[in-house]
Amino acid sequence: MRKFIVFIFSFMLLFIVLQIISGWVLTIFYTPDFSSTKIGVNQEVMFGQTSIIPLLATLSIATLAYYFSQRLFVTSRK
């Protein structure tokens, strides 16, 4: 059980770090489209919604992968 907890925490940490780095890279390389500003500039800023569902889905898939790897590759102790 201890190996599973370490696996899940390290997986979550790597997942969050990857999300932050990918968001940072996407922000750096973003180029706005100024062609639609001929009519007028909208002063309202809208942000996207966040959801925890992708993280939960990824954690459940990682959990299944961990259990399958433990069940399929059992080494016999002699």
Side-chain angles (χ1 to χ4, degrees):
M1 184 69 173
R2 183 171 180 257
K3 288 197 304 189
F4 174 70
I5 293 172
V6 170
F7 173 77
I8 288 298
F9 280 134
S10 62
F11 187 84
M12 283 177 42
L13 180 67
L14 289 172
F15 182 80
I16 291 170
V17 167
L18 180 68
Q19 290 294 316
I20 290 171
I21 290 173
S22 67
W24 181 65
V25 168
L26 287 172
T27 302
I28 287 175
F29 291 114
Y30 174 73
T31 54
D33 182 23
F34 291 116
S35 64
S36 63
T37 59
K38 295 176 185 174
I39 298 171
V41 177
N42 189 3
Q43 297 295 324
E44 184 178 337
V45 177
M46 296 177 64
F47 294 100
Q49 296 177 349
T50 60
S51 176
I52 196 162
I53 293 174
L55 177 64
L56 293 177
T58 306
L59 283 178
S60 63
I61 291 170
T63 302
L64 288 173
Y66 177 80
Y67 281 126
F68 285 147
S69 68
Q70 293 299 315
R71 297 290 182 217
L72 291 176
F73 300 110
V74 176
T75 57
S76 61
R77 299 180 186 185
K78 292 183 180 180

